[in-house]
Amino acid sequence: MWDIITSSLPQILAAGIKFTIPLALISFAIGLALALITALVRISHRGGAFSIIKGIFRFYVWLFRSTPLLVQLFIVYFGLPYLRIPGVLENGIKFSPFIAGIITFSLNTGAYASETIRASISSVPNGQWEAASSIGMTRGQTLRRIVLPQAFRISVPPLANSFISLVKDTSLAASITIVEMFEVSQQIAAQNYQPLIMYTLVAVVYAVFCSILTFGQGYLEKKTNQHLDQTEG
Amino acid sequence: MKLQGLNKSFGANHVLQDIDLELPERATTVIVGPSGSGKSTLLRSLNLLERPESGLYQLADLQIDFSKKIPAKQVLDVRKKTGMVFQDYNLFPHKSVLQNVIEGPVQVLKRDKNEATKEAYELLAKVGLKEKADFYPDQLSGGQAQRVAIARSLAMHPEYILLDEPTSALDPELEGEVLKVLADLANEKQSLIIVTHNLFFARQIATKIVFVEDGRIIFDGPTKDFFNEQQKNTRIHDFISSMTFTDIDEGTVNN
């Protein structure tokens, strides 16, 4: 059994470094930026033509939270090449598997994380907004300097949750031909007929990755809570 | 500072009804009244945290008509001229005491950071908290937090400081340290407008008392007259009697 592990683990880890980790990191970074923009648009008080933009973002969040991630991957990778609009788009939209993965994972993470960020912003007490506006700070200044730093602290645990989910969800990328860790373990299992060992092994590798993230979450929570230990427990 | 015909409703609740009021400079005005009388709403309107539906508001050379949309520039001007101190302090918990005090001067008034810091230390010394400059709000007692909040509003050099029940969240033994700071400011002729339940303090510090009930001004005049009026005016009498069961005994108020 050790032979199987020692011979296949390097291949799994290589796939992790080449695909799983970049997919998760890049998608989370883009997703987070998207989530922040989405949350800020949705909490904006602006009306008029801006309501249309708000509607678009609301639709985006609804769409990605209401459909399975696997189906989203299939639409972006297998479906979009067939999106043909005569005169405008003759050849469909084609992405490499990796780019299709990044796009889908980013949009999916962004939709969920935007709700986390929106909730974190609303959980900052109204008194903070009032105190900031009472000294003449604009809404933008208040958000940037007063509300978002406090919202960030609140959002660390749920965002870490999203990140951990995303790391595991990248295994779905196997279905759009990305040779990430799970795909590699499937391929090896097909050759050596040891599915129990192979899938357990890849599960352990995912668990190790996620444990590192959990550790990072603990560190970040401690760091962002350092001045609030008495009130926040 | 002058208000004319101020009206404000929350739904069907008409909290301010045709308020006419003059709030003198370099004086201490205390606004009293039962809970829900509209006194806090009145105070918060002066900093534009509440927007009455109608009425005129004159603050130095600024003229505001609440029935129209107030331009952002005017809102900013009003807020520069009026500092606000809240019942539950509302310090910024992620910023140190010093950072709390310099936030407004640096970000809003665009003052030089070193200069603002230097002045912040002076203001903190004034409220007796110079040694707490590097502390964070959660490391302070309620009384200390409220004194920082007062320093934070002083740092903006407002013409008026508006205080919304500044000692109501404090234990009685901490109330005194905040009241002392306010008494010092009153002595320096800083214009103060204080909403409070503490009639004993009002009597000591106020140049003028405004008594609000059910969204209307029942009394507006010198402090001495307010306490004398209670023989004639049953509403003032009832209010004073209802307030005096803890801090003050009737004898003190009546003599």
Side-chain angles (χ1 to χ4, degrees):
Chain A
M1 185 177 91
W2 286 112
D3 293 355
I4 301 167
I5 293 175
T6 49
S7 66
S8 52
L9 188 60
Q11 284 172 268
I12 292 176
L13 288 177
I17 290 165
K18 201 165 170 213
F19 290 113
T20 302
I21 293 175
L23 267 178
L25 277 181
I26 298 171
S27 303
F28 191 67
I30 299 173
L32 215 52
L34 200 57
L36 183 63
I37 295 167
T38 307
L40 290 179
V41 166
R42 294 194 61 192
I43 62 159
S44 163
H45 291 168
R46 233 176 284 181
F50 198 76
S51 324
I52 298 167
I53 299 173
K54 274 168 132 169
I56 294 171
F57 277 91
R58 198 165 53 237
F59 174 75
Y60 150 62
V61 173
W62 169 81
L63 186 69
F64 277 84
R65 294 207 310 164
S66 315
T67 52
L69 178 55
L70 185 59
V71 176
Q72 293 164 13
L73 279 168
F74 272 48
I75 291 175
V76 172
Y77 182 64
F78 296 115
L80 288 186
Y82 292 91
L83 181 69
R84 286 174 190 147
I85 307 163
V88 184
L89 197 67
E90 297 291 352
N91 299 316
I93 305 172
K94 294 192 187 84
F95 298 114
S96 74
F98 186 76
I99 296 298
I102 294 282
I103 292 172
T104 314
F105 290 126
S106 301
L107 286 168
N108 190 275
T109 303
Y112 280 96
S114 76
E115 289 295 274
T116 302
I117 292 174
R118 199 164 66 98
S120 306
I121 291 173
S122 10
S123 68
V124 173
N126 197 34
Q128 292 291 309
W129 286 96
E130 290 193 341
S133 34
S134 81
I135 55 171
M137 293 175 86
T138 61
R139 209 177 138 78
Q141 281 176 319
T142 306
L143 264 174
R144 206 171 60 247
R145 301 194 48 90
I146 307 299
V147 173
L148 286 180
Q150 295 181 59
F152 175 69
R153 181 181 64 79
I154 300 165
S155 65
V156 168
L159 286 181
N161 244 355
S162 298
F163 198 6
I164 287 169
S165 288
L166 175 62
V167 169
K168 292 175 296 177
D169 286 346
T170 57
S171 59
L172 294 174
S175 63
I176 57 165
T177 77
I178 296 178
V179 195
E180 48 66 69
M181 299 201 301
F182 180 56
E183 174 66 25
V184 168
S185 65
Q186 269 182 304
Q187 289 173 359
I188 301 173
Q191 290 161 11
N192 65 10
Y193 301 110
Q194 293 288 355
L196 178 63
I197 295 174
M198 289 319 301
Y199 295 144
T200 307
L201 182 61
V202 77
V204 169
V205 176
Y206 278 113
V208 169
F209 282 5
C210 291
S211 304
I212 293 169
L213 289 181
T214 307
F215 180 79
Q217 173 192 350
Y219 171 78
L220 210 56
E221 276 180 46
K222 211 166 158 183
K223 212 177 146 172
T224 52
N225 276 334
Q226 60 187 347
H227 304 307
L228 300 140
D229 44 3
Q230 284 166 32
T231 45
E232 299 294 324
Chain B
M1 194 184 260
K2 201 170 153 187
L3 297 169
Q4 245 181 314
L6 218 61
N7 279 287
K8 168 81 183 168
S9 301
F10 292 114
N13 187 9
H14 202 168
V15 284
L16 296 179
Q17 305 184 27
D18 284 319
I19 299 281
D20 291 325
L21 189 60
E22 257 185 74
L23 297 153
E25 250 183 290
R26 313 204 149 271
T28 302
T29 305
V30 169
I31 304 176
V32 296
S35 301
S37 59
K39 56 189 192 301
S40 281
T41 307
L42 175 60
L43 187 80
R44 288 160 56 85
S45 300
L46 301 176
N47 185 259
L48 306 182
L49 283 177
E50 302 288 353
R51 305 290 171 90
E53 287 92 39
S54 66
L56 296 175
Y57 174 21
Q58 189 185 330
L59 172 57
D61 50 347
L62 286 169
Q63 273 282 6
I64 286 167
D65 182 348
F66 281 116
S67 59
K68 300 197 180 98
K69 189 172 165 17
I70 308 166
K73 167 87 174 61
Q74 272 202 338
V75 174
L76 180 62
D77 284 341
V78 169
R79 285 177 172 161
K80 282 180 184 168
K81 288 179 197 289
T82 54
M84 187 87 200
V85 173
F86 301 89
Q87 180 175 342
D88 38 12
Y89 339 123
N90 291 346
L91 294 179
F92 306 131
H94 60 301
K95 292 186 180 292
S96 72
V97 165
L98 180 70
Q99 289 168 335
N100 264 277
V101 178
I102 64 170
E103 182 70 11
V106 174
Q107 297 299 325
V108 178
L109 303 179
K110 310 289 179 201
R111 286 185 54 191
D112 173 68
K113 196 174 170 184
N114 292 329
E115 203 184 294
T117 304
K118 193 164 158 270
E119 196 194 338
Y121 276 112
E122 286 164 20
L123 290 171
L124 287 171
K126 187 170 180 164
V127 298
L129 291 171
K130 198 174 177 182
E131 72 286 359
K132 301 279 186 193
D134 296 325
F135 282 50
Y136 280 80
D138 73 308
Q139 298 168 305
L140 305 175
S141 71
Q144 291 169 338
Q146 194 59 296
R147 285 186 282 153
V148 172
I150 292 170
R152 179 173 69 178
S153 84
L154 283 171
M156 296 293 289
H157 296 285
E159 290 182 21
Y160 288 81
I161 297 184
L162 317 172
L163 302 104
D164 191 3
E165 310 208 19
T167 61
S168 297
L170 299 176
D171 293 335
E173 72 265 28
L174 299 178
E175 204 176 348
E177 64 189 52
V178 173
L179 296 181
K180 190 185 164 299
V181 167
L182 293 180
D184 289 347
L185 289 175
N187 283 334
E188 290 168 23
K189 301 286 178 213
Q190 164 72 49
S191 315
L192 302 174
I193 301 171
I194 310 174
V195 165
T196 182
H197 279 116
N198 190 333
L199 283 182
F200 188 64
F201 174 65
R203 192 183 168 95
Q204 287 179 324
I205 193 178
T207 16
K208 161 173 165 154
I209 287 192
V210 176
F211 176 53
V212 184
E213 197 179 60
D214 296 330
R216 292 178 193 280
I217 292 174
I218 306 294
F219 176 90
D220 171 14
T223 308
K224 189 158 55 67
D225 295 357
F226 177 72
F227 290 97
N228 290 336
E229 191 84 354
Q230 63 170 319
Q231 277 97 6
K232 288 176 277 175
N233 189 324
T234 52
R235 288 206 272 188
I236 294 179
H237 176 83
D238 292 350
F239 175 69
I240 292 179
S241 335
S242 73
M243 284 292 122
T244 47
F245 55 91
T246 47
D247 296 2
I248 326 145
D249 55 76
E250 287 275 346
T252 320
V253 175
N254 286 331
N255 68 33

